[in-house]
Amino acid sequence: MRAAAAAGGTAPGGRWRAGVRELSMAVPVAAMGPSALGQSGPGSMAPWCSVTSGPTRYVLGMQELFRGHSKTREFPAHSAKVHSVAWSCDGRRLASGSFDKTASVFLLEKDRLVKENNYRGHGDSVDQLCWHPSNPDLFVTASGDKTIRIWDVRTTKCIATVNTKGENINICWSPDGQTIAVGNKDDVVTFIDAKTHRSKAEEQFKFEVNEISWNNDNNMFFLTNGNGCINILSYPELKPVQSINAHPSNCICIKFDPMGKYFATGSADALVSLWDVDELVCVRCFSRLDWPVRTLSFSHDGKMLASASEDHFIDIAEVETGDKLWEVQCESPTFTVAWHPKRPLLAFACDDKDGKYDSSREAGTVKLFGLPNDS
């Protein structure tokens, strides 16, 4: 795991970090030729699998919905690029973390986001944030200032600051709400008790760690790494269970579907692979993006998967077939995507610039797709 350079994303040597990286170092996978796109792991099917005879009823229904709800609206959030967006478990609030060292929280009111508060205190970029899985008032931020901070939207204050050993760039909250895991650029993952705010365990890895996540059952811990593998540890024992060769190049991001049936990974090979949680085999791949996949999100019903990269669109696929359901147009690379936990609304943030004449000034906006066309 490597922290972003000041301008954007990789550390010296061009190593990845989940979410954000320097655009200049990327090479579109289409330019690599077909030999770069191999099988996606043990028991996997080829990337060009899942050819169906026609759109399913679900696809047709959602396409009809989006034809009337294809509006994207922008909301000012920060003074610099937005690295991370996430919804509270009840869907009432959206939080965003930024290079400007702050987090913002919005209230969702009908068809718009209303800024509720800005959270200051970090001394460096807020690279990732997440909400408590069942308490809609608590969220946690990970920063390059070697701390994580837990915030309560009821008091708008930081209720805990936890010092860590390195510059933090990835964070997740366990499904049972008891533990926060944070990863730093030195490939150390620290497990913090969410009540006492003390470290419970610490693991130093010998490979580049990218994104981290518990499974929905809270008994396994997953890491994506720079060798294209998914490493699985038992939890809370943190003993190695399995290492899956998922992609031929850097495995960047991972997300679990809310139904507990699948998880998905995104890679530098521009592929998204879908995995059966129980069998740990790849059931399908999505290959419509041309650039490394940096962010993923499942819809609340587990039936749609949004994936994004430096391509100027977000791909929305039907999970069960891999079919293209919709694409959301963007004017710049996308850093982060997040489906609403109850509605077909997609929050996202891009590498936008502010103004026609100053192309270097970052916009720091949060976007919301799925709004009524007449709103």
Side-chain angles (χ1 to χ4, degrees):
M1 203 182 302
R2 289 293 174 262
T10 52
R15 293 186 69 182
W16 287 78
R17 85 141 162 102
V20 186
R21 63 190 180 81
E22 274 182 17
L23 308 183
S24 60
M25 301 195 69
V27 177
V29 174
M32 297 180 186
S35 62
L37 306 175
Q39 295 283 100
S40 294
S44 70
M45 291 155 54
W48 12 93
C49 58
S50 297
V51 177
T52 57
S53 57
T56 64
R57 183 178 295 180
Y58 180 81
V59 167
L60 293 172
M62 292 308 299
Q63 288 174 340
E64 180 66 25
L65 174 72
F66 287 142
R67 273 191 283 273
H69 295 73
S70 61
K71 187 171 184 175
T72 297
R73 187 174 284 174
E74 293 186 1
F75 303 91
H78 296 274
S79 61
K81 71 182 84 175
V82 176
H83 286 170
S84 180
V85 294
W87 294 98
S88 59
C89 61
D90 61 1
R92 291 188 62 228
R93 289 180 171 88
L94 179 78
S96 58
S98 170
F99 190 70
D100 70 4
K101 307 176 186 177
T102 74
S104 290
V105 171
F106 295 83
L107 279 167
L108 178 62
E109 293 185 0
K110 198 179 177 183
D111 297 327
R112 64 194 182 113
L113 292 170
V114 178
K115 195 167 186 179
E116 184 180 53
N117 221 306
N118 192 241
Y119 294 80
R120 301 179 181 277
H122 279 299
D124 203 342
S125 172
V126 178
D127 281 352
Q128 199 170 37
L129 54 78
C130 63
W131 291 83
H132 188 288
S134 56
N135 183 337
D137 297 321
L138 301 180
F139 71 97
V140 62
T141 49
S143 172
D145 66 3
K146 299 186 178 181
T147 71
I148 68 166
R149 287 176 177 253
I150 303 173
W151 311 84
D152 190 326
V153 298
R154 294 167 295 189
T155 62
T156 69
K157 292 180 180 179
C158 174
I159 61 172
T161 300
V162 182
N163 293 308
T164 60
K165 292 183 177 179
E167 297 176 36
N168 303 309
I169 53 178
N170 277 305
I171 197 161
C172 59
W173 211 313
S174 64
D176 64 8
Q178 294 182 13
T179 311
I180 296 166
V182 58
N184 70 28
K185 70 173 186 177
D186 298 316
D187 308 316
V188 174
V189 178
T190 304
F191 296 84
I192 296 163
D193 188 299
K195 289 184 179 179
T196 66
H197 311 136
R198 296 178 183 273
S199 173
K200 297 199 293 187
E202 190 176 272
E203 289 288 320
Q204 169 74 63
F205 293 94
K206 295 180 180 179
F207 48 76
E208 178 188 350
V209 177
N210 288 322
E211 207 157 57
I212 54 179
S213 178
W214 274 273
N215 65 340
N216 296 13
D217 291 336
N218 215 108
N219 62 2
M220 288 196 288
F221 192 77
F222 287 63
L223 312 92
T224 58
N225 78 27
N227 302 320
C229 295
I230 305 164
N231 289 86
I232 306 170
L233 308 178
S234 62
Y235 189 82
E237 301 83 9
L238 298 176
K239 301 298 183 186
V241 173
Q242 193 166 345
S243 179
I244 302 171
N245 293 314
H247 292 268
S249 57
N250 200 320
C251 193
I252 301 165
C253 47
I254 183 168
K255 283 292 182 295
F256 281 79
D257 109 63
M259 303 293 109
K261 187 176 181 182
Y262 300 116
F263 66 91
T265 57
S267 171
D269 61 12
L271 292 176
V272 176
S273 57
L274 184 74
W275 298 80
D276 183 291
V277 166
D278 295 327
E279 302 295 331
L280 295 178
V281 294
C282 180
V283 294
R284 171 169 315 112
C285 289
F286 309 81
S287 55
R288 283 180 290 272
L289 297 173
D290 287 329
W291 294 82
V293 183
R294 50 164 68 150
T295 179
L296 298 166
S297 182
F298 282 96
S299 59
H300 68 95
D301 57 6
K303 293 183 178 181
M304 292 186 289
L305 179 62
S307 56
S309 64
E310 289 177 38
D311 291 276
H312 286 195
F313 69 91
I314 299 167
D315 182 70
I316 300 178
E318 183 186 30
V319 170
E320 285 297 344
T321 61
D323 289 345
K324 176 181 172 180
L325 196 153
W326 201 263
E327 66 179 39
V328 181
Q329 295 300 315
C330 312
E331 295 180 0
S332 56
T334 301
F335 290 137
T336 176
V337 296
W339 281 110
H340 188 274
K342 296 179 181 179
R343 298 169 56 188
L345 292 171
L346 184 72
F348 62 101
C350 302
D351 189 22
D352 290 337
K353 306 302 178 185
D354 194 9
K356 297 179 180 178
Y357 307 109
D358 184 3
S359 61
S360 64
R361 185 180 170 193
E362 295 169 356
T365 55
V366 168
K367 304 172 195 288
L368 193 60
F369 163 79
L371 300 172
N373 294 349
D374 57 1
S375 64

